[in-house]
Amino acid sequence: MGHREDLLEGAKRCLLEKGYARTTARDIVAASGTNLASIGYHYGSKDVLMRKALVESVGEWGAALTGAEEAGGGEPAGDPVERFTAVWDRILRSFLEQRDFVASQVEVLGLLPRDPELRAALATVLPEGGEGMVAVFENVPDTEVDAETARVVGSFYQALLTGLMVQSLVTPAALPSGGDLVEAMRRVLSGSVLAPREEPADGGPAAS
């Protein structure tokens, strides 16, 4: 790799180890084995490099999620409830296994109101993120997801994703399962939020 790639990899490591705001240019230089002048030459500034590292990290997390699905043969394709449950269970496991990544993402949320450049950088990839999430849940290529579906359904998935990220840091032991999310949606949509979880007549597993 050249200095440009080394800097990006170093910045991604710093993002996980030190966080977005606490990472300095010297931290990146130490992590990448390059020099301070290289940051300016290749990226213009440390902030530009860190924004690039943030976006790349999110993309890699999403690619790993898709890759794990493909390696495992995919989630149930015929039953949307089973698929919804299985995909969320996989996402939630990743939150608990990759706490440094989750912490870096949650940290950035608090920086957005006062950092217009960071906000603009994330705004450019947000639609793509919604498209990617719909593709994962529907088990289709990204190219089959239209813009309106990405905006409406993708935004719903992203809202869940962000909220669950925060919860995984604050109360990881109380993190819901994919099945819990299905049950919550069932209650809300049926108008029976306060009703107990439905149990099948034969005493088997609860209905989703």
Side-chain angles (χ1 to χ4, degrees):
M1 290 193 299
H3 276 196
R4 182 178 179 84
E5 293 78 15
D6 291 338
L7 285 166
L8 183 57
E9 291 303 313
K12 287 190 286 189
R13 286 197 296 274
C14 288
L15 182 65
L16 298 181
E17 295 169 5
K18 298 181 70 70
Y20 186 91
R22 291 183 59 209
T23 294
T24 67
R26 292 189 181 278
D27 291 329
I28 298 172
V29 167
S32 62
T34 58
N35 55 69
L36 287 172
S38 293
I39 295 178
Y41 178 78
H42 290 289
Y43 292 96
S45 71
K46 185 266 290 187
D47 290 339
V48 172
L49 173 54
M50 286 301 293
R51 289 195 292 269
K52 176 71 171 175
L54 176 66
V55 170
E56 289 268 331
S57 295
V58 174
E60 289 172 1
W61 177 82
L65 191 70
T66 303
E69 176 181 354
E70 292 172 350
E75 306 298 353
D79 188 321
V81 173
E82 289 183 6
R83 183 169 181 79
F84 183 94
T85 301
V87 173
W88 275 115
D89 279 341
R90 185 149 45 83
I91 291 172
L92 293 165
R93 281 196 302 272
S94 81
F95 289 171
L96 298 177
E97 294 167 355
Q98 301 178 52
R99 291 180 64 79
D100 289 342
F101 168 76
V102 174
S104 71
Q105 302 305 303
V106 173
E107 176 201 359
V108 165
L109 297 177
L111 302 176
L112 292 175
R114 297 177 178 84
D115 191 333
E117 289 82 9
L118 177 60
R119 193 164 61 245
L122 293 183
T124 61
V125 297
L126 195 63
E128 183 179 332
E131 177 185 279
M133 291 203 70
V134 172
V136 169
F137 278 93
E138 294 301 312
N139 195 27
V140 298
D142 292 4
T143 52
E144 292 188 18
V145 182
D146 63 272
E148 179 65 5
T149 299
R151 185 185 71 82
V152 176
V153 182
S155 294
F156 169 71
Y157 288 142
Q158 287 176 318
L160 276 176
L161 186 79
T162 302
L164 290 166
M165 274 189 171
V166 174
Q167 188 171 343
S168 75
L169 293 178
V170 179
T171 54
L175 200 61
S177 66
D180 291 334
L181 296 178
V182 170
E183 172 66 9
M185 291 174 63
R186 181 191 68 78
R187 293 192 193 189
V188 170
L189 295 176
S190 68
S192 304
V193 171
L194 302 181
R197 186 186 291 264
E198 290 184 352
E199 298 290 343
D202 61 4
S208 296

